[in-house]
Amino acid sequence: MSTAGARWWRDAAIYQIYPRSFADDNGDGVGDLAGVRRRLGYLRDLGIDAVWFSPWFPSPMADAGYDVADYRDIDPAFGTLPEACALIDEAHALGIRIIIDIVPNHTSVAHEWFQRALTDHAYRDRFWFRDGRGALGDLPPNDWGSIFGGPAWTRVTDGQWYLHLFDAGQPDFNWDHPAVRAEFEDILRFWFDRGVDGIRIDSAAMVVKDPALPDFDPLSPPDPHPWNDRDELHEVYRSWRRIADAYDPPRALIGEVWLADPQRFARYLRTDELHAAFNFDFLGCPWDAKALRRCVDETLDAHTAVGAPATWVLSNHDVTRHVTRYGRAETGFDHALRQARHLAPSDLTVGTRRARAAALLTTALPGSVYVYQGEELGLPEVEDLPSSARQDPIFARTASADPGRDGCRVPLPWSGTEPPYGFGGPGWLPQPSSWASFTVDAEAADPDSMLSLYRAALALRRAEPGLGDAPMTWSDSPEDVLAFTRPGGFACIVNLAAHPVALPPHAAVLLASGPLDGGLLPGDTAVWLRLTA
Ligand code: NOJ
């Protein structure tokens, strides 16, 4: 386990499993818990401290499981509750902690409460049902749009409308209703009682709405907002923190908080709220030394002010894989630009080189680090999926204009030379025929592979007392170079310039993301050093 013991979440390396695409044991083309249990040794050897599972609950899969029909069970496509409990125990025996995804903002239309609400108006208060506008009530109650495209309202047969910030299959809960609050407190205890070490909170800043559900005011600042970052939601997380802290060891709360303002972001990380939140500023930051330095500084300043650990994230199941992003002329990420950048040329050799350097950068920074499944293999985004295969609701809700997020969700390649590459059955999304060199087996046998780099970096990170939660200090360096030290004479240098730069004298190389050129560090390369003087 991580060096921090009970405060493991402060410096853990956390691996994200997207269950549909990790490993398929029963051969139906969809990943499952049996597949994960069979690969726990792989995760142990990778050197991670915890696994975060994207939702594994029963779901109609309108949004790949982020539409939860029952928060206390496992989707039959993935397995059973006893299997999940066995998985938790087996992971613990290997020193791996388990984080599960809790989705509080919305549920599924198949959830018992929503089904009841369709016929029993007493249940409608648990959601946001409203009459429509216009003489016939056939216009949505306000002007909010769904984040996935189209209106945020869907009409039911008796004429009322319900709010869904995402897909129509994902009705939003009304968090002003005491039954909703009590239900989630119980769900948290259900999983904590079964040994789950922490939760990732989906759409954590959206949970509370302005109950007047006003139209957008174009003159008001983006946040707080009628449905984002409202002050009232902090009390929800304070109550969750009390629950998490009542366990021994305390359970961790990790928020998915997309906010532009670092000060408002840090409010979620006050000592009586969440333990950590994903650093999307870093994920979206272009591959540019000045921008990255500024992002690291702003991150550390905002987190230090509230005593919270920073997190470092390069990819997840919602964003274009960073090998592909970093190979483009525009290397940053922004959801609003996904459509515009889809299929923009990407030099994957350059992208991979940068991704290797970024792996050493993120694992050397203070705080915890997230690895999205397949990132350790250097997988690129699959951009040419056929339309008929795409399942992300964004694709359908934007009339195919936005390709959505399926390209980063393609099943993992484990072995062999052709699809399904040891995944199990032919995957629910097709794997490229060019992935033979990305399989776990191929990369495990290659000391220069991305997998070997991640294994080496995570092993060194764990062994190095000055990494993890300890402070960092920037060193003097040219503008295109990021250089910093950590306690114990550890240094990390990342060269983002096109030309090589000199390495400091009196330093021994611990690990490099690519070949060094004598005493020079080539462009787009990172190195870890032990300073000897
Ligand atoms: C954020 C999740 O990461 C994403 O995959 C999902 O579609 C939305 N929240 C809605 O649950």
Side-chain angles (χ1 to χ4, degrees), residues 109 113-121 124 129 156 158 162:
V109 286
W113 287 3
F114 189 81
Q115 284 300 308
R116 284 201 194 181
L118 290 178
T119 51
D120 178 352
H121 279 237
R124 292 204 173 177
F129 276 88
V156 296
D158 62 22
Y162 67 90

Side-chain angles (χ1 to χ4, degrees), residues 16 18 52 54-55 63-67 101 103 105-106 148 166-167 170 200 202-203 206 256 258 280 316-318 392-394 405 409:
Q16 182 189 353
Y18 192 71
W52 148 35
S54 279
D63 182 21
Y66 283 93
D67 48 322
D101 221 312
V103 187
N105 177 66
H106 47 270
F148 286 171
F166 294 95
D167 187 65
Q170 297 168 290
R200 177 262 190 195
D202 187 71
S203 306
M206 299 182 185
E256 188 209 14
W258 292 86
F280 294 119
N316 66 27
H317 64 293
D318 291 330
D392 187 349
I394 291 178
R405 304 158 293 177
R409 299 173 175 181

Side-chain angles (χ1 to χ4, degrees), residues 282-418:
F282 186 78
L283 181 153
C285 189
W287 184 247
D288 171 83
K290 227 159 116 188
L292 284 166
R293 188 180 294 113
R294 194 175 49 235
C295 179
V296 168
D297 282 339
E298 281 179 6
T299 298
L300 294 177
D301 286 351
H303 285 73
T304 307
V306 287
T311 66
W312 307 103
V313 189
L314 291 168
S315 276
N316 66 27
H317 64 293
D318 291 330
V319 308
T320 311
R321 283 193 179 272
H322 61 274
V323 160
T324 300
R325 272 165 23 219
Y326 285 164
R328 287 189 171 139
E330 301 291 343
T331 51
F333 179 80
D334 185 336
H335 286 287
L337 297 174
R338 177 179 42 234
Q339 184 180 337
R341 294 196 180 151
H342 181 59
L343 289 170
S346 174
D347 182 332
L348 295 182
T349 305
V350 172
T352 302
R353 208 178 152 83
R354 292 175 175 170
R356 292 175 66 91
L360 293 202
L361 170 62
T362 50
T363 46
L365 287 168
S368 62
V369 64
Y370 286 79
V371 178
Y372 173 49
Q373 67 177 38
E375 159 183 342
E376 80 280 17
L377 303 174
L379 294 184
E381 183 81 358
V382 181
E383 297 206 273
D384 58 354
L385 288 170
S387 299
S388 58
R390 290 192 183 273
Q391 296 195 15
D392 187 349
I394 291 178
F395 185 61
R397 290 187 65 90
T398 59
S400 318
D402 184 330
R405 304 158 293 177
D406 289 317
C408 65
R409 299 173 175 181
V410 171
L412 290 195
W414 291 93
S415 58
T417 54
E418 53 190 45

